[in-house]
Amino acid sequence: EVQVLESGGGLVQPGESLTLSCAVSGFPFINFAITWFRQPPGKGLEWVSTVSATGTKTYHADSVQGRFTVSKDTSKNTVDLQMKSLRVEDTAVYYCARDDGLSYFDFWGPGTLVTVSS
Amino acid sequence: EIVLTQSPATLSLSPGERATLSCRASEYLTNYLAWYQQKPGQPPRLLIYDAFKRASGTPSRFSGSGSGTEYTLTISSLEPEDFAVYYCQQRANWPRLTFGGGTKVEIK
């Protein structure tokens, strides 16, 4: 059974840092890219970052470029999202999801809430 | 960035009725479009990919159609569990994936 689970969310102040983690199981981790999305409360979905299947290539949305870093640990089956210089507008539920190979997303975690507020 | 515009924002229907949701793109998508269903407190669920292909477990009452810049999700006969928010997502401009703003299907 495929399982995806995010952790690490919480309340931080503007300018602070936070690292989210996505733990996956039930499929060959090295064969699938993983993507982070976010959803501000009551709003729509936004692509944040993608790490390739092997972990050698990463991509970030312009809104987080230079502040967020995504990485894949194939020995632990985890994907981390390091977030620095957090802003109020980064407040959202953050989801990680498995790329099915066609850049659609067939398995999602339940999400973790990040709140940036003073 | 490819902008996806969904309409209507809200659709008020009764169980058993037909739902027609629209997604219009600012550029040609070459059918690289998916539809997701999201219920409160849950992550999105993939329903349709490549414009008309049903994902594993998607009931046959859900169908996708369209081409170019205009795409449609149709629910032939609404079941109680279908009342939710629906999003379209494009991958034509990978990795810069974008979503539409969503259509809420609510009980009339």
Side-chain angles (χ1 to χ4, degrees), chain A residues 55-83:
Chain A
T56 56
K57 296 181 180 180
T58 61
Y59 310 89
H60 299 277
D62 289 345
S63 58
V64 306
Q65 184 73 47
R67 300 188 299 125
F68 289 15
T69 302
V70 64
S71 60
K72 201 179 195 191
D73 187 333
T74 53
S75 67
K76 297 180 180 178
N77 276 24
T78 58
V79 174
D80 285 350
L81 183 68
Q82 297 180 343
M83 306 184 294

Side-chain angles (χ1 to χ4, degrees), chain A residues 3-70:
Chain A
Q3 294 190 334
V4 179
L5 184 63
E6 307 90 345
S7 62
L11 173 63
V12 296
Q13 295 191 341
E16 292 187 338
S17 299
L18 196 64
T19 296
L20 305 182
S21 188
C22 174
V24 306
S25 61
F27 63 94
F29 187 55
I30 199 167
N31 290 354
F32 292 86
I34 299 292
T35 293
W36 285 92
F37 298 96
R38 66 185 181 184
Q39 186 170 37
K43 296 188 177 181
L45 295 156
E46 179 187 14
W47 168 68
V48 176
S49 301
T50 294
V51 59
S52 66
T54 57
T56 56
K57 296 181 180 180
T58 61
Y59 310 89
H60 299 277
D62 289 345
S63 58
V64 306
Q65 184 73 47
R67 300 188 299 125
F68 289 15
T69 302
V70 64

Side-chain angles (χ1 to χ4, degrees), chain A residues 39 62 102-105 109, chain B residues 36 38 50 89 91 94 96:
Chain A
Q39 186 170 37
D62 289 345
L102 298 176
S103 296
Y104 303 119
F105 303 91
Chain B
Y36 296 83
Q38 188 177 33
D50 283 350
Q89 174 237 320
R91 71 170 184 98
W94 185 91
R96 300 188 178 282

Side-chain angles (χ1 to χ4, degrees), chain B residues 39-76:
Chain B
K39 297 180 180 179
Q42 297 184 17
R45 169 195 171 193
L46 179 64
L47 296 174
I48 300 286
Y49 67 97
D50 283 350
F52 60 88
K53 300 174 183 177
R54 289 190 197 90
S56 176
T58 300
S60 59
R61 63 182 180 274
F62 291 90
S63 63
S65 62
S67 63
T69 62
E70 302 277 350
Y71 295 87
T72 300
L73 174 69
T74 301
I75 311 171
S76 59

